[in-house]
Amino acid sequence: AQSVSQHNHHVILSEAASLELGCNYSYGGTVNLFWYVQYPGQHLQLLLKYFSGDPLVKGIKGFEAEFIKSKFSFNLRKPSVQWSDTAEYFCAVIPDNNDMRFGAGTRLTVKP
Amino acid sequence: DGGITQSPKYLFRKEGQNVTLSCEQNLNHDAMYWYRQDPGQGLRLIYYSQIVNDFQKGDIAEGYSVSREKKESFPLTVTSAQKNPTAFYLCASGTATKGEQFFGPGTRLTVL
């Protein structure tokens, strides 16, 4: 079945460490790509999105993601994480059929 | 103050009872969505509506029903036919097909 895969269920980092969260999808054709973040007790909110153009996308709070079409990937990165980045991160894809599909999520814990 | 409201935040019901979750948006969005979030499974689409008086089933529509009588409102009824209704329910809205979705704070439903 077509899907969105997030490779890590739980990532634990110390402050100032670099972060990369993997996201792969299995849909062909044109896709729109998103990363959402859910801070404890808060709404799901958009970190960044890719529709077309420069495959390196910059989002809020110092996050960026790179779309690699040949690898069907849209990995999320941050060079130096902070304790306040502790949250759950969801990759989402809208393929041609217009339904947004989510990965299972990655829980990030940043130790102060 | 623009946004999406969901009420109540927590809901408890006895097995066999139908329950309706509220979702209201004042963002003037045409499209609205209902998702179910379970630990380790990400968000799964229950129903969506792209225009008033029209809605479509998502991946896990069985045991749920919706209505879209007004642009601002998209209530979800969890019926007694839903085998495992205890979950966190998220409502979202968006302006266009294949675009960003904005999420409400969610309703945590517990069926006893």
Side-chain angles (χ1 to χ4, degrees):
Chain A
Q2 295 182 314
S3 66
V4 180
S5 300
Q6 291 184 241
H7 314 299
N8 308 104
H9 291 296
H10 189 191
V11 173
I12 302 172
L13 295 172
S14 297
E15 275 194 316
S18 64
L19 170 72
E20 181 159 3
L21 301 182
C23 175
N24 285 88
Y25 61 93
S26 61
Y27 302 96
T30 303
V31 293
N32 288 358
L33 300 159
F34 307 82
W35 275 98
Y36 282 88
V37 61
Q38 191 173 35
Y39 297 104
Q42 294 191 26
H43 298 203
L44 212 67
Q45 56 185 280
L46 184 72
L47 269 181
L48 47 79
K49 60 188 175 187
Y50 173 80
F51 289 179
S52 64
D54 187 344
L56 185 61
V57 180
K58 299 212 181 288
I60 61 171
K61 305 189 181 188
F63 287 91
E64 65 178 31
E66 185 175 13
F67 170 52
I68 303 180
K69 189 173 182 179
S70 60
K71 294 186 177 180
F72 295 86
S73 71
F74 190 55
N75 291 355
L76 181 71
R77 300 194 291 248
K78 186 171 183 179
S80 175
V81 294
Q82 302 171 322
W83 176 79
S84 57
D85 293 324
T86 293
E88 189 152 18
Y89 293 81
F90 294 93
C91 179
V93 177
I94 300 183
D96 284 337
N97 71 354
N98 300 328
D99 290 344
M100 186 175 275
R101 303 289 175 164
F102 286 82
T106 297
R107 187 156 62 97
L108 172 65
T109 301
V110 180
K111 294 182 175 179
Chain B
D1 196 14
I4 302 174
T5 56
Q6 291 185 244
S7 60
K9 190 172 181 179
Y10 299 97
L11 190 54
F12 296 88
R13 279 294 181 270
K14 291 184 180 177
E15 198 172 333
Q17 290 182 332
N18 291 356
V19 60
T20 298
L21 281 57
S22 166
C23 177
E24 304 277 332
Q25 56 100 358
N26 60 6
L27 301 168
N28 199 33
H29 288 165
D30 285 317
M32 295 187 74
Y33 309 83
W34 273 105
Y35 294 91
R36 172 182 169 135
Q37 185 179 4
D38 295 284
Q41 295 193 54
L43 280 69
R44 292 181 290 165
L45 183 64
I46 304 172
Y47 267 98
Y48 66 98
S49 167
Q50 294 186 343
I51 196 167
V52 173
N53 292 324
D54 186 46
F55 47 82
Q56 309 296 329
K57 291 182 179 180
D59 294 327
I60 55 166
E62 187 175 347
Y64 299 98
S65 65
V66 293
S67 62
R68 186 86 187 277
E69 296 175 4
K70 298 187 298 182
K71 187 175 185 178
E72 302 80 19
S73 178
F74 191 41
L76 173 75
T77 296
V78 185
T79 75
S80 57
Q82 168 49 232
K83 299 269 189 285
N84 185 20
T86 294
F88 188 55
Y89 291 88
L90 285 168
C91 179
S93 69
T95 54
T97 323
K98 300 194 75 169
E100 174 186 354
Q101 293 179 18
F102 297 80
F103 286 83
T107 292
R108 188 165 298 280
L109 172 65
T110 302
V111 175
L112 306 169

